[in-house]
Amino acid sequence: MDTKREIQEFLTSRRGRITPAQAGVRTFGSGPRRVPGLRREEVASLAGVSIAYYTKLERGDASGVSDSVLEALSRALQLDDAERAHLFDLVRAQQPVPRRRRRSTPQAIRPGVQRLLNRIDAPAYIRNGRMDILATNKLGEALYSEILANPRRPANTARFCFLEPRATTFFVDWDETADASVAVLRAEAGRNPHDQDLTNLIGELSTQSEDFRVRWARHDVGTHDTGVKRLQHPLVGRLELTYEGMTLAADPDLVMFAFTAEIGSKSDEALNLLASWAATENQPIAADTSDRY
């Protein structure tokens, strides 16, 4: 990843989305502004730095920038927590520390974690920052059967979202899911710019999906660890589920997701039906991660 370009494009995109009124900046004159958002000098003033300093930073040169300046810029640009963390990650990645681009090593799921998954009486799975599904329980595998139908392993929810035609039917709110997938991958790219598998995935999606390319160019970042997911399951029909993501303390690169439905709702009934079906099927408990791409 070209961190200089990433910093430049990220700051430019965040600056362009904030109007002077939103930032509390007074404007003078009635002529049209050449930029839709804030000007560089306005951001510099809000952050308490010189125009020359901010211009240097927006051009991608983050050498020597302090945390206090990044905090001031985060406030000036009204970054949320995910965006602020992403800015810090991008700047950190540019620091003069020699690092080789590396291929990711397979992430093994510890037996105790798999046993915990199996004990959860709800659909659950574990993924990494690249959105690879590394393990599931039986109900989780039944819920995500459309994604896991492709024999390629590890199954990847972003790849399914953008490259599988079934995704637009399976994800009822496909646009929202697509936005969230790109935001998660963008944040991961900031955290791990030397991850070769992540670079390969982004390259694959960029070359094969216009929908992905358009969203990637927005530089939106996010975590999306809680919310509502609406699915059209091929066996039990429409599901509206609340999901929660929980980072594993001993494996901070891994997140466990679990899905629940309101008790007594149609989605709850559908989940019970899916659980009955899963209990009668001879399904593997964990997603096979041995066949790496």
Side-chain angles (χ1 to χ4, degrees):
M1 184 177 69
D2 184 347
T3 54
K4 183 174 181 178
R5 180 177 176 182
E6 290 293 319
I7 292 172
Q8 177 184 13
E9 293 182 352
F10 180 68
L11 289 176
T12 302
S13 68
R14 299 309 92 172
R15 175 167 64 86
R17 70 177 182 175
I18 302 176
T19 66
Q22 290 172 327
V25 174
R26 295 183 62 186
T27 58
F28 301 93
S30 57
R33 293 169 63 89
R34 292 189 303 168
V35 294
L38 294 175
R39 296 175 174 138
R40 284 178 175 173
E41 57 266 29
E42 291 168 340
V43 175
S45 177
L46 289 169
V49 298
S50 69
I51 298 174
Y53 189 90
Y54 177 73
T55 299
K56 169 177 169 287
L57 183 58
E58 195 178 275
R59 287 175 177 167
D61 184 358
S63 57
V65 64
S66 67
D67 287 354
S68 61
V69 168
L70 294 179
E71 291 286 4
L73 285 176
S74 297
R75 291 191 296 270
L77 294 171
Q78 300 180 14
L79 304 185
D80 61 23
D81 290 343
E83 291 168 331
R84 173 190 170 278
H86 185 61
L87 177 59
F88 273 78
D89 286 337
L90 291 177
V91 171
R92 190 178 301 115
Q94 198 185 81
Q95 300 310 310
V97 178
R99 297 178 65 181
R100 286 186 176 183
R101 183 172 295 276
R102 58 180 176 80
R103 185 171 182 83
S104 303
T105 56
Q107 291 171 296
I109 300 301
R110 291 178 288 112
V113 174
Q114 184 63 64
R115 288 194 295 270
L116 175 61
L117 266 181
N118 298 342
R119 289 282 188 175
I120 296 176
D121 188 24
Y125 73 91
I126 292 174
R127 71 155 173 80
N128 58 20
R130 294 188 301 274
M131 305 187 76
D132 294 330
I133 297 177
L134 302 178
T136 71
N137 60 12
K138 281 190 174 182
L139 192 48
E141 187 162 358
L143 180 68
Y144 269 17
S145 58
E146 288 286 85
I147 298 176
L148 297 170
N150 190 318
R152 183 175 182 177
R153 292 294 181 266
N156 183 278
T157 56
R159 183 181 291 114
F160 173 81
C161 181
F162 287 101
L163 302 186
E164 288 286 352
R166 301 190 311 276
T168 54
T169 299
F170 182 66
F171 294 120
V172 175
D173 304 307
W174 182 86
D175 281 312
E176 180 180 319
T177 300
D179 290 344
S181 298
V182 173
V184 169
L185 291 181
R186 175 65 79 176
E188 181 67 10
R191 285 190 295 270
N192 294 300
H194 304 284
D195 183 339
Q196 186 63 55
D197 285 340
L198 177 61
T199 299
N200 293 344
L201 174 63
I202 293 169
E204 177 187 358
L205 297 179
S206 297
T207 57
Q208 298 186 37
S209 172
E210 174 68 16
D211 288 314
F212 180 85
R213 287 195 297 273
V214 169
R215 287 170 169 81
W216 188 254
R218 296 174 188 165
H219 286 265
D220 292 336
V221 295
T223 53
H224 301 282
D225 288 335
T226 184
V228 175
K229 185 76 73 177
R230 296 199 302 158
L231 308 174
Q232 183 65 34
H233 196 277
L235 291 176
V236 298
R238 182 67 60 91
L239 290 162
E240 183 170 316
L241 307 173
T242 298
Y243 66 89
E244 296 291 338
M246 296 152 279
T247 300
L248 302 184
D251 301 295
D253 293 334
L254 303 181
V255 181
M256 179 185 297
F257 285 88
F259 298 82
T260 59
E262 185 178 350
I263 296 176
S265 65
K266 290 184 178 180
S267 293
D268 186 41
E269 295 174 1
L271 271 187
N272 290 334
L273 179 61
L274 189 63
S276 298
W277 175 83
T280 61
E281 291 292 308
N282 184 25
Q283 300 184 56
I285 296 297
D288 180 16
T289 62
S290 59
D291 183 14
R292 304 268 317 167
Y293 60 91

